[in-house]
């Protein structure tokens, strides 16, 4: 009898945010991702009365959920009816409290050989800030923070 391995789990990284839509704009630009277009889903849910109009906002000319939005890799599949990605995604959800401690999880962005300084400059132009430059036996990288203070590294 042949045993089959279970299918890998689908996942997304969820990031708490004060302003999910601004974070989505930053990270979509930073990663060259696309903000998900959930307009059809939001309209359908508000039409059924499942979502109150106050729980929505206009985002880049389309309706979106007020308290969450995701960005996805442009080459990954997505559900055309809902706009929800089925691959690499970051979901930003509104929370009332501000970030107060160091991240326990962060993204490492790989700029490519000789491109780190240019990538750091590009990300700074998008609203990130440089926290420190690290040079260790194992390598070199730049620790940065997104507009809400979430740390990430550029290698």
């Amino acid at each position: 009898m042949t045993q089959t391995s279970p299918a890998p789990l689908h996942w997304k990284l969820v990031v708490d945010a004060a302003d999910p839509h601004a974070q989505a704009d930053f990270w979509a630009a930073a990663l060259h991702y696309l903000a998900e277009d959930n307009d059809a889903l939001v309209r359908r849910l508000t039409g059924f009365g499942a979502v109150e109009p106050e729980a929505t906002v206009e985002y880049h000319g389309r309706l979106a959920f007020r308290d969450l939005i995701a960005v996805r890799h442009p080459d990954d599949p997505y559900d055309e009816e809902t706009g929800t990605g089925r691959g690499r995604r970051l979901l930003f959800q509104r929370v009332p409290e501000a970030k107060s401690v160091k991240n326990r999880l962060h993204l490492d962005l790989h700029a490519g050989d000789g491109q780190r300084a240019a990538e750091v400059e590009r990300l700074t132009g998008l609203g990130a800030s440089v926290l420190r430059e690290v040079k260790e036996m194992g390598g070199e990288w730049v620790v940065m923070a997104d507009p809400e203070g979430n740390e990430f590294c550029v290698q």
Side-chain angles (χ1 to χ4, degrees):
M1 182 160 122
T2 304
Q3 286 192 351
T4 59
S5 297
L9 295 175
H10 177 74
W11 62 272
K12 63 184 165 283
L13 180 63
V14 180
V15 180
D16 290 350
D19 185 343
H21 301 90
Q23 284 292 86
D25 285 342
F26 171 81
W27 282 103
L31 298 172
H32 305 290
Y33 273 32
L34 300 171
E36 291 182 352
D37 179 359
N38 303 125
D39 183 81
L41 174 62
V42 172
R43 289 182 188 281
R44 188 166 50 250
L45 292 174
T46 54
F48 293 147
V51 171
E52 296 295 323
E54 298 80 30
T56 69
V57 294
E58 186 176 312
Y59 175 69
H60 299 298
R62 312 280 290 176
L63 278 184
F65 295 108
R66 182 189 68 215
D67 293 331
L68 58 90
I69 188 162
V71 298
R72 65 176 178 81
H73 191 286
D75 296 335
D76 286 353
Y78 67 97
D79 183 318
E80 292 185 20
E81 289 184 28
T82 65
T84 303
R86 294 182 174 156
R88 295 163 279 189
R89 302 173 68 217
L90 296 175
L91 174 73
F92 301 94
Q93 67 179 5
R94 185 180 315 279
V95 296
E97 67 279 355
K99 180 182 176 298
S100 61
V101 298
K102 182 183 182 299
N103 296 11
R104 295 288 305 237
L105 174 74
H106 70 267
L107 297 179
D108 280 353
L109 307 185
H110 299 271
D113 291 339
Q115 299 300 312
R116 183 178 33 225
E119 190 63 20
V120 166
E121 183 176 338
R122 184 183 77 83
L123 293 165
T124 301
L126 293 173
S129 57
V130 173
L131 299 179
R132 67 185 172 281
E133 294 185 18
V134 178
K135 294 182 182 182
E136 295 180 352
M137 296 274 297
E140 297 181 15
W141 61 91
V142 177
V143 180
M144 301 187 75
D146 73 13
E148 289 197 6
N150 299 301
E151 297 94 357
F152 64 98
C153 296
V154 179
Q155 298 182 337

